[in-house]
Amino acid sequence: MNQTRVTAVYLVETPYSLEKAAASIAGEQSTGTFTAVPGETDALKALHGAVVESIEPLEEVDAPSLPGAKTPPNHDGKYRRGVVKVSFPLHNFGPSIPNLMSAVAGNLYELQELSGLRLLDLELPDAFAARYPGPKFGIEGTRKLTGVYDRPILGTIVKPSVGLSMEELSALVERLALAGMDFIKDDELNANPPYAPLEGKVKAVMAAVERAADRTGKKLMYAFNITGDYDELQRGHDLVVAAGGNCVMVSILSVGLSGLTALNRYSEVPIHGHRNQWGMLTRSPLLGIEFTAYQKLCRLAGADHLHVNGLQSKFYESDASVVRSIEACTAPMFGGYATMPVVSSAQWAGTAPATYAATRTVDVMHLAGGGMLAHPDGPASGFESMKLGWEAAVQGIPLEQYAAKHPALQRAIEKYGKG
Amino acid sequence: MNQTRVTAVYLVETPYSLEKAAASIAGEQSTGTFTAVPGETDALKALHGAVVESIEPLEEVDAPSLPGAKTPPNHDGKYRRGVVKVSFPLHNFGPSIPNLMSAVAGNLYELQELSGLRLLDLELPDAFAARYPGPKFGIEGTRKLTGVYDRPILGTIVKPSVGLSMEELSALVERLALAGMDFIKDDELNANPPYAPLEGKVKAVMAAVERAADRTGKKLMYAFNITGDYDELQRGHDLVVAAGGNCVMVSILSVGLSGLTALNRYSEVPIHGHRNQWGMLTRSPLLGIEFTAYQKLCRLAGADHLHVNGLQSKFYESDASVVRSIEACTAPMFGGYATMPVVSSAQWAGTAPATYAATRTVDVMHLAGGGMLAHPDGPASGFESMKLGWEAAVQGIPLEQYAAKHPALQRAIEKYGKG
């Protein structure tokens, strides 16, 4: 690892040669502008210029992925794709996530020399670790707080997402807590709405959590959605901690990586990082950012838990992409920075086997909203069915076979397994 | 204007009927999940459900714009496009930009029912104006601080973007200030780098600005790039103000809209909002956000100046799209919230006529980096040529004709007009 440079890995598509496209990227994002200017000396370029480290050609295509690319004279009609690595001197921006993004993303997505650009990965020197301490709890801290070991942390999302009264919410949470649930989160649509302000919600929910804990001896983790403007983050966090709460949640793209960084400075409980809005940064295959790159920034900024969608989900994302995200999140970074991947979206007991088969890890949080709450025999059976699904998965027993002896799982299959 | 609902306007593409796609959007982002859950009553839906307000069919296409859409049984192979308006009860999230984004964007970009989704516009009730005061300076305040009326504010960007020593920068700024320049900004690549920390930069630059002002009687506006983590924003702002500086700049996508909101709470000088990274949110035509929608959020959050690219720029964006952005930024919002559109990228005197012809306004900031600094007779002539370009534009005189009597413009045309 080069400790004085940041390396960005891009998927590039261009009507020009890959060499010319790569040079445009390096020039635009360091010393260059559209015309030579006084002062752009060779010495300055040597000290501050970005450098094309490697170019790996891929396929050619007949049409541009994105509009607005200009074409060279005598263009052969081909658009060349390749993986291009560009390194930037760290001293151009320092270990600062906001300024890193201006350098490695910046105006690049708008260049006419490119008909496609996707940031695939980032290699960051240790200076970033010195500046950003990362998750305070991660996998180990979350297991300790929930008392759940050797299997995924299983939880649910409050549904309906919006509209429950505090009485209804409190009753629901108590019922789920008594059912043994490990974890519950607010929906990302529900933070601090006028009809149910966070302060009242924290009181109502924590009273339910504590009542149930007194009976079961197990205190579930509730992720309160504190997404809001900067000043609201601290206020929301402090409300949760003062009430004995043990997790806060933010929509990372709503508060920004710098919002997450700020929250991580004073947080006393794990931060549950939700990924909504991420689709617009990633669904166009030749645009935006691959989660492999983005999750590194989320971990630096302090996400103890990080949403990655789920296999067989209701979303567009392929299972292969979800698996890549889980693998990226569980890969060590600077020797640590462990975050717990959160698998969700149309999940139920039956999505456990494929998830385990593809990732071979139980260090995930597995969330099911409708997949537990709408279980025909109620949420307790929904929770039980999820545990059974993972038992079968880890033991390598086919789900149907395991279900023969376990009615909660059998009933889940009957309800959800017909899709 | 409905004061109790937010309306989002989407460009939608779907293999299903537009009606089904619209219903998916409304359900996903309010009370629904992938399966019916207890508690999602009709009364709750009536109070909290999103409502499809209108559907305007557009063309059909033969291939999906984005991957991962599922298709209905007996799919006819067509992907239907249309403009869909969906309204959301304000009380679901309140006047909160971060939570608004989770509602109107949220998981929508990932839905399998859609093969394309772009947020075109937002209609926001007055409650947002009560919560977010918007720009403190805007066009009027910026004109007052610069003393420039009746023409665009003309300025430049420090180039080379990175690598100048403080002595070189100070000398450059002094030379540009003595040349009469209205405005200079740091490059977005250059905020507070280790080789040139902001504190030293502010001192060096402001000394140059003040020295020149003593001689010319005109104090130029310098936008210091204070982009950084949350705590650095206030520190950077305070450094600038303490040194007599009169503008701060942030990369909005680096600090987030909530970073901008926070800065706007305590800012004592105009905030220059840079738009780098925006391309990834907008270059795929059937994905992301149209600037018409995004600029409203930037204005609410407090951007006194807002980058919009330029006509005939080095970027992919069409001139028509740039013109739409300028028109959007100059349209009144809540009866005010004026922001100054910042026209830049490969600009020079020769881009003034087209810009004025298309927008009929001089209430813009027009920035040229190389287009002034690399003028054959130096930056003072570069600045003069820009003024001349706008004089010709406003008076409707062809540029070449006006240049016959004005050598600085003639020389600019010789240098830049051959592209």
Side-chain angles (χ1 to χ4, degrees):
Chain A
M1 170 70 76
N2 188 321
Q3 294 300 340
T4 64
R5 300 182 80 83
V6 163
T7 303
V9 185
Y10 301 100
L11 176 61
V12 167
E13 184 189 282
T14 179
Y16 295 86
S17 69
L18 286 168
E19 288 69 25
K20 182 178 160 67
S24 297
I25 292 172
E28 171 70 22
Q29 292 309 100
S30 57
T31 62
T33 183
F34 79 107
T35 182
V37 291
E40 194 188 356
T41 61
D42 288 345
L44 183 142
K45 282 191 206 176
L47 261 175
H48 296 280
V51 170
V52 178
E53 300 287 349
S54 68
I55 297 175
E56 178 200 337
L58 298 172
E59 72 278 14
E60 295 184 348
V61 294
D62 295 324
S65 293
L66 299 175
K70 65 180 178 188
T71 50
N74 303 318
H75 181 222
D76 62 3
K78 298 292 182 191
Y79 294 81
R80 290 154 191 85
R81 291 183 182 166
V83 173
V84 172
K85 284 195 188 190
V86 178
S87 73
F88 302 80
L90 177 63
H91 63 211
N92 279 13
F93 40 80
S96 158
I97 292 173
N99 289 301
L100 170 75
M101 289 308 294
S102 294
V104 301
N107 291 331
L108 290 180
Y109 295 95
E110 307 202 31
L111 288 182
Q112 286 180 335
E113 286 81 1
L114 307 178
S115 58
L117 184 75
R118 189 171 175 87
L119 178 62
L120 297 180
D121 206 353
L122 288 168
E123 293 167 16
L124 302 172
D126 291 347
F128 279 87
R131 164 83 162 261
Y132 295 98
K136 291 177 182 158
F137 296 86
I139 295 167
E140 199 181 317
T142 300
R143 288 205 178 283
K144 205 167 163 185
L145 281 170
T146 54
V148 177
Y149 298 91
D150 305 322
R151 64 165 174 83
I153 291 177
L154 302 173
T156 192
I157 304 121
V158 172
K159 300 282 178 187
S161 313
V162 290
L164 291 180
S165 70
M166 291 307 91
E167 294 69 30
E168 290 166 325
L169 177 63
S170 183
L172 176 64
V173 170
E174 185 163 359
R175 194 153 70 100
L176 298 176
L178 290 173
M181 206 73 62
D182 303 328
F183 177 89
I184 305 178
K185 67 176 268 286
D186 279 334
D187 195 273
E188 68 274 13
L189 295 174
N190 198 320
N192 182 24
Y195 77 90
L198 184 65
E199 187 162 6
K201 183 161 71 175
V202 169
K203 277 187 194 155
V205 166
M206 288 314 299
V209 168
E210 300 290 3
R211 277 195 306 271
D214 287 345
R215 285 176 58 186
T216 64
K218 169 178 169 174
K219 180 171 171 178
L220 68 68
M221 178 175 278
Y222 191 101
F224 289 97
N225 184 356
I226 62 168
T227 299
D229 288 325
Y230 266 121
D231 49 342
E232 296 173 314
L233 291 181
Q234 174 125 35
R235 182 180 161 270
H237 168 272
D238 292 353
L239 274 176
V240 170
V241 170
N246 48 16
C247 191
V248 292
M249 161 179 160
V250 288
S251 294
I252 296 176
L253 285 117
S254 282
V255 303
L257 288 165
S258 56
L260 181 57
T261 300
L263 173 58
N264 192 39
R265 292 238 166 80
Y266 51 77
S267 64
E268 298 174 27
V269 293
I271 301 171
H272 188 81
H274 198 279
R275 204 178 73 160
N276 69 80
Q277 302 160 60
W278 172 246
M280 78 174 106
L281 292 169
T282 209
R283 187 164 174 182
S284 186
L286 266 292
L287 185 64
I289 312 185
E290 180 78 12
F291 197 62
T292 307
Y294 193 71
Q295 58 88 26
K296 289 186 178 175
L297 304 179
C298 296
R299 289 162 72 183
L300 278 172
D304 293 285
H305 313 151
L306 196 47
H307 277 246
V308 293
N309 276 350
L311 279 77
Q312 303 163 20
S313 84
K314 68 180 171 182
F315 294 130
Y316 84 95
E317 193 177 356
S318 69
D319 286 359
S321 171
V322 175
V323 170
R324 277 202 306 279
S325 294
I326 295 172
E327 285 171 349
C329 288
T330 51
M333 190 175 139
F334 302 120
Y337 286 78
T339 192
M340 199 156 212
V342 181
V343 176
S344 72
S345 171
Q347 298 297 293
W348 64 285
T351 53
T355 306
Y356 184 71
T359 63
R360 311 305 291 180
T361 181
V362 295
D363 279 338
V364 298
M365 200 172 256
H366 196 195
L367 305 188
M372 278 207 259
L373 303 191
H375 189 284
D377 302 322
S381 297
F383 178 67
E384 181 65 17
S385 72
M386 290 281 283
K387 278 204 290 191
L388 292 164
W390 277 93
E391 285 172 18
V394 171
Q395 294 171 42
I397 303 170
L399 206 64
E400 297 280 354
Q401 184 184 322
Y402 206 65
K405 291 186 187 162
H406 297 97
L409 182 56
Q410 184 58 43
R411 295 273 283 165
I413 293 173
E414 285 163 17
K415 165 89 183 181
Y416 306 111
K418 309 301 177 192
Chain B
M1 170 71 74
N2 188 320
Q3 295 300 342
T4 63
R5 299 182 81 82
V6 163
T7 303
V9 185
Y10 301 99
L11 175 61
V12 167
E13 183 189 281
T14 179
Y16 294 86
S17 68
L18 286 168
E19 288 69 24
K20 181 177 160 69
S24 296
I25 292 172
E28 171 70 21
Q29 292 309 101
S30 58
T31 61
T33 183
F34 80 107
T35 181
V37 290
E40 193 186 357
T41 61
D42 288 344
L44 183 142
K45 282 191 207 177
L47 261 176
H48 296 281
V51 170
V52 178
E53 299 286 350
S54 68
I55 297 175
E56 178 200 338
L58 299 172
E59 72 278 14
E60 296 184 347
V61 294
D62 294 325
S65 293
L66 300 175
K70 64 180 178 186
T71 50
N74 304 318
H75 181 222
D76 62 4
K78 298 292 181 192
Y79 294 81
R80 291 153 191 86
R81 291 184 182 166
V83 174
V84 172
K85 284 195 187 190
V86 178
S87 74
F88 301 81
L90 177 63
H91 63 211
N92 278 14
F93 41 80
S96 158
I97 292 174
N99 289 302
L100 170 74
M101 289 309 293
S102 293
V104 300
N107 291 332
L108 290 179
Y109 296 95
E110 308 201 31
L111 288 182
Q112 286 180 333
E113 286 82 1
L114 307 177
S115 58
L117 184 75
R118 188 171 176 88
L119 177 62
L120 298 179
D121 206 354
L122 287 168
E123 293 166 18
L124 302 172
D126 291 347
F128 278 87
R131 165 82 162 263
Y132 295 97
K136 292 177 182 159
F137 295 86
I139 295 167
E140 199 180 317
T142 301
R143 289 205 178 281
K144 204 166 164 186
L145 281 170
T146 55
V148 177
Y149 297 91
D150 305 321
R151 64 165 174 81
I153 291 177
L154 302 173
T156 192
I157 305 122
V158 171
K159 299 283 178 187
S161 313
V162 291
L164 291 180
S165 70
M166 291 307 91
E167 294 70 31
E168 290 167 324
L169 176 62
S170 182
L172 176 64
V173 170
E174 186 164 0
R175 194 153 70 99
L176 298 176
L178 289 174
M181 206 73 62
D182 304 327
F183 177 90
I184 305 177
K185 67 176 269 286
D186 279 334
D187 195 273
E188 69 273 13
L189 294 174
N190 198 320
N192 182 24
Y195 77 89
L198 184 63
E199 187 162 7
K201 183 161 70 175
V202 168
K203 277 187 194 154
V205 166
M206 288 313 299
V209 168
E210 299 290 4
R211 276 196 305 273
D214 287 344
R215 286 176 58 185
T216 64
K218 169 177 170 175
K219 180 170 172 178
L220 68 68
M221 179 174 277
Y222 191 101
F224 289 96
N225 184 357
I226 62 168
T227 300
D229 288 325
Y230 175 57
D231 49 341
E232 296 173 312
L233 291 181
Q234 174 125 34
R235 182 180 161 269
H237 168 272
D238 293 352
L239 275 176
V240 170
V241 169
N246 48 15
C247 190
V248 293
M249 160 180 161
V250 289
S251 295
I252 297 176
L253 285 117
S254 282
V255 304
L257 288 165
S258 56
L260 181 57
T261 300
L263 173 59
N264 192 40
R265 292 238 166 81
Y266 51 78
S267 63
E268 298 174 28
V269 293
I271 301 171
H272 188 81
H274 198 279
R275 203 178 75 160
N276 69 80
Q277 302 161 59
W278 172 246
M280 78 174 108
L281 292 168
T282 208
R283 186 164 174 183
S284 185
L286 266 292
L287 185 64
I289 312 185
E290 181 79 11
F291 197 63
T292 306
Y294 194 71
Q295 57 88 25
K296 290 187 178 174
L297 304 178
C298 296
R299 289 161 72 182
L300 278 172
D304 293 284
H305 313 151
L306 195 47
H307 277 246
V308 294
N309 276 349
L311 279 77
Q312 303 161 21
S313 83
K314 67 181 171 183
F315 294 129
Y316 84 94
E317 192 177 357
S318 69
D319 286 358
S321 171
V322 175
V323 170
R324 277 202 305 278
S325 294
I326 295 173
E327 285 171 350
C329 288
T330 51
M333 190 175 138
F334 302 121
Y337 286 78
T339 192
M340 199 155 211
V342 182
V343 176
S344 72
S345 172
Q347 299 297 293
W348 63 286
T351 53
T355 306
Y356 183 72
T359 63
R360 310 306 289 181
T361 181
V362 295
D363 279 339
V364 299
M365 199 171 257
H366 196 195
L367 305 188
M372 278 207 258
L373 303 190
H375 189 284
D377 302 323
S381 298
F383 178 66
E384 181 64 18
S385 72
M386 291 281 284
K387 278 204 289 191
L388 293 164
W390 277 94
E391 285 172 17
V394 171
Q395 294 171 42
I397 303 170
L399 206 65
E400 297 280 354
Q401 185 183 320
Y402 207 64
K405 290 186 188 163
H406 296 97
L409 183 56
Q410 184 58 43
R411 296 274 282 165
I413 293 172
E414 285 162 17
K415 165 88 182 183
Y416 306 111
K418 310 302 176 190

